[in-house]
Amino acid sequence: MRGKLALRGDLLDFSGTPLWQSRATDGVRWRPDHWLLVDDNGRIAGALPGHQPPGEDWQKMDHSGRLVMPGFIDTHVHCPQLDVIASHGTGLLDWLNTYTFPAERRFADPAAAQAGAALFLDSLLEHGTTCAVVFPTVHKVSAESLFEAAAERGMCVLAGKVLMDRHAPDGLRDDVAGAERDCEDLIHRFHGQARNRYTVTVRFAATSTREQLAMAGRLLARHEGLYMQTHVAENVDEVKWIAELFPEARSYLDVYARHGLLNERSVLAHGIWLDAEDRRRLADAGAQIAFCPTSNLFLGSGLFDWQAAVDTGHAVTLASDVGGGTSLSMPRTLAEAYKVQMLRGTRLSAWSALHAATRGAAQALGLDHEIGHLGEGAMADFVVWDWAVGAAARHRDAVARGEVPGLAAQDLHARVFAWMTLADDRNRVATYVAGRRH
Ligand SMILES: [Zn+2]
């Protein structure tokens, strides 16, 4: 039985959607020096100004002068790929064959799968991420291990056994009937258990036959509330290959749509090489694109067009895509997202970036009643951050606060943007999941 917790710090979250490309604070909820109240059921009970502490029955943690934000939501990341993060010299298709597929074979071994899941989830927490949409491997035990490890930590994890019945090496292929049995068993045992959500996981169109894609669509139709995750239009060579494999489809995205895989619970990673019709279909379906800037830069995949997504009206969330991506840190991911958008002529605000990685992601996943903000009733998934680590970053923060003689104080956006650009896991002080410190 945990007690009631009151934690003092600078509370930052979102009550609404910030204006696109604007530094104005619309939708931003900024409560400097407040107590965040966490009830003994692991949910947020409210907030009080710093000078009005709650009563004696609340255990107090003083993080005055530190930033407190909702835990980040990473909408696309691969659990087994910590083995291959930072591997040199390949684009997507070579990278899969050279580095990723050999590493994923290791997860057939239950001991490796369990150790991998524990390392992965603990690493997410160390980086300030409390919820993620995760690819394990084709092996059933890799999904079991991930769900069990998430439940032990009280984390909200969306995942499912990877489906791959062709164009993958020995030891990494399933078949339609066996995969369907495994998925049914996993859905039965884990979907809605603890904070787990089962996610039908098609690696990408190239590694599933039409029969397997149809089976994935049947799973979604048969079980209410399942999620779907896959990759789409990441790399030019990949897009060409998909067009050869599925000549009947209008586009890469259409392969998924025609198999019943596109709905409001679909999370599609990358979406760099889409056209206007694809974007319109994403918007109509209520599906989201997980933008993975460090991966897109590292693998040379391309520059995601966020402005086109805003113009069309489909959701965009932020993701690390480790191991194509180079860091589990969401601040680092957001900083790279800003740079990619600058190359496209768009000035991404700190507000839009942070919103997309917290409340915006929760809304896109239909989970904003539970996560993504510090509002009353939400699960107490939040992170305490240092505003700055190291002399240079501390100086930059002092400039923003107007504490450096001769320089005028800057607005809140300037301070938070500098934090987002300079912060990483060294800034993280504590991660709370359902009110429990990790
Ligand atoms: Zn990926």
Side-chain angles (χ1 to χ4, degrees), residues 76 78 81 135 231 234 269-270 321:
H76 180 75
H78 298 257
Q81 292 184 12
F135 272 62
H231 298 84
E234 175 175 359
H270 307 298
D321 191 29

Side-chain angles (χ1 to χ4, degrees), residues 15-49:
S15 56
T17 305
L19 299 172
W20 180 243
Q21 294 206 67
S22 169
R23 294 189 285 258
T25 52
D26 302 65
V28 178
R29 185 158 50 188
W30 169 238
R31 292 173 287 182
D33 190 22
H34 270 64
W35 293 98
L36 181 68
L37 306 180
V38 180
D39 224 328
D40 53 11
N41 60 5
R43 289 186 183 269
I44 292 170
L48 290 170

